[in-house]
Amino acid sequence: MAKADEIRELMRTEGAAVAENTRAFNDGRYASVADLEDYEALKSEARAIKEDAIERLPELIDELEAAVEKNGGTVYLADDAADANAYIREVVADRDADRVVKSKSMTSEEIEVNEALESDGVDVVETDLGEWVLQVADEAPSHIVAPAIHKSREAIADLFNERFDPDEPLETAEELTYFAREKLGEQIVDAEVGLTGANFLTADTGTMALVTSEGNARKTVAATDTQITVAGVEKVIPSVDDLAPFVELIGRSGTGQDITSYVSLLTPPVETPVVDFADDETPLSEFDADRDFHLVLIDNGRLAMREDDQLRETLYCIRCSACSNSCANFQHVGGHAFGGETYSGGIATGWEAGIEGLDTAAEFNDLCTGCTRCVNACPVEIDIPWINTVVRDRINREGEQPAEWLVDGLTPDAEDEGAPLQKRFFGNFETVAKLGSATAPLSNWLADTGPSRWLMSRALGIDRRRDLPEFERETLVDWFAGRDATVENPERRAVLYPDLYTNHVQVERGKAAVEALETLGVEVVVPEAPSSGRAPFSQGMVATATDHAERVTEALAPYVADGYDVVVVEPSDLAMFTREYDRLVDEDAFATLADSSYEVMEYVYGLLENGADADALAAGDGAGVAYHSHCQQRTLGLEAHTVAVLEDRGFDVVTSDVECCGMAGSFGYKRDYYELSMDVGGRLRDQFEADGVRDRPVVASGTSCLEQIDALLERQPRHPVELLVE
């Protein structure tokens, strides 16, 4: 099935359920973390613990092994899935077990232990409700925390009624839950071996922490006399005391709960009596507690990831699913598209690349658009978009290369190898933009002809339903060079960075920015400058993005040294300057540019707060306007500045609470993802077409947002700064 067809089918069959549940989790996260006075400090503390644990992992594994053995348990360090399964099968065979009951464990999914045991004739029963539903349906999980998130209540009812043929058809959630509890209870009682995962393992005491929404993990441990725990080596942390920030964060981050229903700290072998359920006369206190415990610690690529400077951060992951719940694309397709063999969502790229290999990661990596919505959501501050970019770069370099004659000259990038033609085209948009402006309006007419659209669809995978950008013959830099305007006795001096779209396509927003700043007493310059590198960065062309970043910092350095502020119109370019350049350029060069850079409406807000004459700007006089901010603008915490400036000037502002419009730069142009892009944008369209909003003009801060809104609505949007100079 073609990728576009697969995505379309998943949107049709699973999209509604996934969207409803992930958005509920995400909204719950916002509400729950708002109650924490020290949320950011907790995240930093959790991050520091994981950094330290992974740094000292070999010694912590030795300490954990000693603690477990002192308690009377056994530790086995498995090299890979086959090694782990061989050991588990041996333990089950030695116990002569007919049934193994399991609590939810993504690591057991990773090694496919169910299949290994079933090949020996062992009955394996998932006791987590969601996992059991999928076991009955013979399906793979779609979510790290809520495996059956893609199934509606009605679908589960149909499944149970068909499979089990109950006396009375099951319909309500209460009926389904009660039925499952009774069914699973019977099977837990008859099991000999319990198998669990572990959210965390403490090296000092051998304690395992299980964080669950159901009581099944405790039953799995208590009802059997042999317990096997499988866990990746990255789950080890130094001490029980270190659990505190994780217990605070994991439930809030994953499902929006202040604390998960069950937080179990077990130091196995546990001393709970081993109950003979057939004996209903002997008091519980008279049963002995002769239990067998096996901890299977699994490497399976993790120790190699630890040595990989770019993938290492993946090991800090606590499997909370916040990156999935906050991701617009995941909300519409779920983990069956946005996921690999085991793991799903934004962090899945790192896991699948490290455990399964780049081929598996390549199947879904492009669904991460780098919007950074997951950055602030991650409770251990993992830079998930960077991991996705690095893996994309590696996938590019291992993939089939385009013919040299196709890219030579047309794509003057810094890639020694790698990147298919589509990515090299989008990654070198600076060349396209310069050529487009130099030959406009002919270039615009030619690009929109039938043969050109057919060729771009076939060769570059650009969807023919998407309108193409129209280049301006006079760029912003050219327009500014032809002006004589000066500001007498300027309060500040600023260099307005001419990003690609502001310079070549949406020139009017650049002109408005210049005029607004000059009106507020700022001396402005608009120099020639390279593109920020956002385009190649988004395509995984890290070498080219680095080259752009180095040239940009070099071009802007003299202005910054001379006391100029750097004002940026496009939020994604500001994010490059203040976030991504930290990975691409010298530390001092990054710090200098980041400290001097501002988004244009943030800068206007600062000028007004510091005494600039607001009345010099255009007045709204109560006019209504609908505003949508850019993903990365929200990540950087800058949305409020735009709203504050517009309201200060008398505009009645309705803001969108949709965090992603779905365009995401080149993503919305690509044929494989066009329908997903528009489906994501549907929520924004619905909000802006609602009663009381549909008649308002629309403003948006980002290039992608402006293009997407133009496609979704009949109202052509503008940048907010344009309202200030009317």
Side-chain angles (χ1 to χ4, degrees):
M1 182 184 294
K3 183 173 293 185
D5 293 336
E6 177 187 5
I7 289 173
R8 185 186 305 113
E9 179 65 12
L10 286 171
M11 286 193 297
R12 184 184 68 81
T13 58
E14 301 180 2
V18 172
E20 180 180 358
N21 290 304
T22 51
R23 288 171 190 160
F25 288 159
N26 200 45
D27 290 343
R29 174 177 61 85
Y30 281 127
S32 182
V33 301
D35 293 334
L36 290 174
E37 293 182 5
D38 55 353
Y39 177 49
E40 294 300 329
L42 272 175
K43 288 163 63 178
S44 296
E45 182 184 358
R47 164 82 180 204
I49 292 169
K50 290 295 289 186
E51 282 184 343
D52 173 59
I54 299 303
E55 178 67 27
R56 298 194 292 123
L57 188 56
E59 66 181 82
L60 291 180
I61 290 174
D62 289 342
E63 185 180 349
L64 174 65
E65 183 175 12
V68 171
E69 290 178 350
K70 182 179 179 180
N71 295 336
T74 303
V75 176
Y76 184 77
L77 183 59
D79 292 333
D80 54 26
D83 189 17
N85 285 333
Y87 182 83
I88 294 167
R89 291 167 69 184
E90 182 178 341
V91 170
V92 173
D94 287 347
R95 176 60 182 79
D96 195 24
D98 294 319
R99 174 174 293 155
V100 173
V101 286
K102 290 179 62 203
S103 66
K104 183 180 179 300
S105 164
M106 290 304 296
T107 309
S108 71
E109 293 277 354
E110 175 189 321
I111 65 174
E112 298 182 336
V113 68
N114 289 25
E115 291 81 352
L117 290 171
E118 287 166 353
S119 69
D120 293 338
V122 177
D123 181 27
V124 182
V125 180
E126 298 283 356
T127 64
D128 173 85
L129 179 56
E131 289 283 2
W132 187 59
V133 167
L134 296 186
Q135 187 176 34
V136 172
D138 193 23
E139 293 182 17
S142 178
H143 191 270
I144 290 176
V145 170
I149 199 171
H150 59 288
K151 285 194 171 295
S152 65
R153 175 183 56 79
E154 292 81 6
I156 295 172
D158 290 343
L159 173 68
F160 282 9
N161 289 328
E162 179 181 348
R163 175 66 185 274
F164 299 110
D165 192 23
D167 293 337
E168 295 292 334
L170 304 171
E171 294 182 0
T172 68
E174 182 179 6
E175 290 171 346
L176 292 167
T177 304
Y178 182 82
F179 177 83
R181 184 180 68 181
E182 293 299 306
K183 203 79 172 175
L184 289 171
E186 296 169 2
Q187 299 185 78
I188 291 173
V189 165
D190 291 339
E192 297 89 0
V193 176
L195 193 151
T196 74
N199 293 91
F200 307 98
L201 297 161
T202 66
D204 59 343
T205 61
T207 299
M208 55 183 284
L210 285 168
V211 183
T212 65
S213 296
E214 304 168 23
N216 60 300
R218 295 179 183 179
K219 291 180 180 179
T220 297
V221 171
T224 57
D225 59 19
T226 302
Q227 180 190 352
I228 304 171
T229 291
V230 296
V233 292
E234 84 285 355
K235 297 295 185 71
V236 184
I237 60 175
S239 71
V240 172
D241 290 342
D242 292 323
L243 288 169
F246 299 109
V247 171
E248 283 276 20
L249 290 167
I250 192 167
R252 298 177 192 269
S253 300
T255 57
Q257 297 169 278
D258 291 349
I259 190 167
T260 311
S261 302
Y262 296 89
V263 178
S264 304
L265 302 185
L266 307 175
T267 305
V270 296
E271 296 181 358
T272 302
V274 178
V275 179
D276 181 355
F277 291 97
D279 182 353
D280 57 3
E281 296 182 359
T282 304
L284 289 178
S285 60
E286 295 185 15
F287 287 107
D288 64 37
D290 184 16
R291 293 176 172 277
D292 195 16
F293 173 69
H294 299 264
L295 172 60
V296 183
L297 282 177
I298 298 171
D299 174 5
N300 206 31
R302 288 164 172 80
L303 295 179
M305 292 166 68
R306 178 176 174 268
E307 301 301 319
D308 187 319
D309 288 342
Q310 310 302 345
L311 291 186
R312 183 181 182 131
E313 264 193 292
T314 307
L315 299 176
Y316 304 162
C317 171
I318 62 173
R319 314 268 178 85
C320 70
S321 78
C323 57
S324 299
N325 300 334
S326 62
C327 174
N329 283 344
F330 188 96
Q331 289 175 1
H332 286 251
V333 297
H336 289 154
F338 202 153
E341 294 293 324
T342 305
Y343 301 102
S344 59
I347 196 64
T349 286
W351 281 120
E352 295 291 334
I355 290 169
E356 299 290 344
L358 291 178
D359 287 349
T360 301
E363 294 175 4
F364 63 92
N365 173 258
D366 281 349
L367 282 168
C368 171
T369 63
C371 74
T372 70
R373 292 180 72 199
C374 57
V375 170
N376 293 348
C378 179
V380 283
E381 301 176 335
I382 300 173
D383 191 346
I384 295 170
W386 171 247
I387 293 173
N388 277 275
T389 298
V390 168
V391 172
R392 191 169 299 165
D393 183 77
R394 296 178 184 183
I395 292 167
N396 287 344
R397 295 179 185 281
E398 289 203 352
E400 183 177 345
Q401 309 306 313
E404 186 173 341
W405 63 271
L406 279 173
V407 297
D408 188 31
L410 175 64
T411 55
D413 52 49
E415 307 299 308
D416 294 331
E417 59 182 350
L421 183 59
Q422 182 193 69
K423 290 186 177 175
R424 297 189 83 157
F425 174 82
F426 285 117
N428 288 279
F429 190 72
E430 181 177 39
T431 301
V432 177
K434 288 179 177 179
L435 180 62
S437 285
T439 58
L442 178 62
S443 58
N444 297 323
W445 172 82
L446 182 61
D448 206 33
T449 61
S452 294
R453 295 307 301 263
W454 177 86
L455 181 62
M456 284 187 281
S457 176
R458 290 295 300 271
L460 302 174
I462 296 176
D463 198 282
R464 298 172 73 172
R465 292 165 288 186
R466 180 69 75 179
D467 289 339
L468 301 174
E470 293 189 0
F471 299 103
E472 297 287 343
R473 182 60 175 258
E474 182 182 53
T475 65
L476 178 65
V477 171
D478 292 339
W479 169 82
F480 186 84
R483 298 171 75 246
D484 296 325
T486 58
V487 176
E488 295 184 7
N489 302 316
E491 294 290 329
R492 300 188 73 89
R493 295 186 298 168
V495 51
L496 185 73
Y497 175 68
D499 66 85
L500 280 181
Y501 263 74
T502 303
N503 194 31
H504 294 277
V505 181
Q506 295 172 0
V507 178
E508 290 305 312
R509 72 179 185 181
K511 294 178 181 179
V514 171
E515 293 171 10
L517 297 183
E518 289 181 343
T519 297
L520 295 176
V522 179
E523 180 184 308
V524 181
V525 295
V526 184
E528 289 276 3
S531 71
S532 70
R534 170 59 66 183
F537 190 84
S538 68
Q539 306 304 316
M541 298 164 59
V542 176
T544 302
T546 300
D547 174 67
H548 284 238
E550 290 171 345
R551 289 189 289 120
V552 167
T553 53
E554 183 179 349
L556 296 181
Y559 294 99
V560 175
D562 200 26
Y564 281 77
D565 302 313
V566 177
V567 178
V568 187
V569 177
E570 171 55 40
S572 62
D573 281 1
L574 180 70
M576 290 293 289
F577 294 174
T578 58
R579 271 183 40 84
E580 277 74 36
Y581 277 18
D582 189 26
R583 306 274 191 176
L584 304 178
V585 300
D586 173 81
E587 181 179 349
D588 291 337
F590 163 72
T592 300
L593 181 58
D595 290 344
S596 303
S597 298
Y598 306 87
E599 190 262 340
V600 62
M601 294 298 283
E602 172 197 16
Y603 195 70
V604 169
Y605 175 86
L607 293 172
L608 299 181
E609 285 291 292
N610 285 278
D613 182 12
D615 290 337
L617 300 173
D621 295 328
V625 62
Y627 171 59
H628 175 71
S629 67
H630 189 275
C631 296
Q632 282 149 342
Q633 187 181 27
R634 295 184 189 224
T635 300
L636 296 172
L638 301 177
E639 175 190 23
H641 298 95
T642 298
V643 176
V645 169
L646 294 179
E647 290 182 341
D648 180 78
R649 296 309 305 133
F651 291 94
D652 178 24
V653 184
V654 170
T655 59
S656 157
D657 63 11
V658 175
E659 295 183 59
C660 185
C661 71
M663 185 66 185
S666 63
F667 181 82
Y669 282 106
K670 295 177 180 178
R671 187 173 59 236
D672 283 341
Y673 306 119
Y674 170 80
E675 289 178 55
L676 174 57
S677 169
M678 295 298 286
D679 196 51
V680 172
R683 290 188 69 215
L684 182 60
R685 180 192 60 237
D686 292 344
Q687 286 196 4
F688 281 172
E689 289 186 344
D691 291 343
V693 183
R694 68 167 59 95
D695 295 328
R696 293 172 178 247
V698 178
V699 291
S701 298
T703 296
S704 296
C705 310
L706 290 164
E707 292 190 335
Q708 182 77 319
I709 292 169
D710 192 23
L712 294 169
L713 306 173
E714 295 181 358
R715 292 165 285 170
Q716 186 169 5
R718 292 181 294 168
H719 191 282
V721 77
E722 294 181 67
L723 299 182
L724 302 181
V725 296
E726 288 182 332

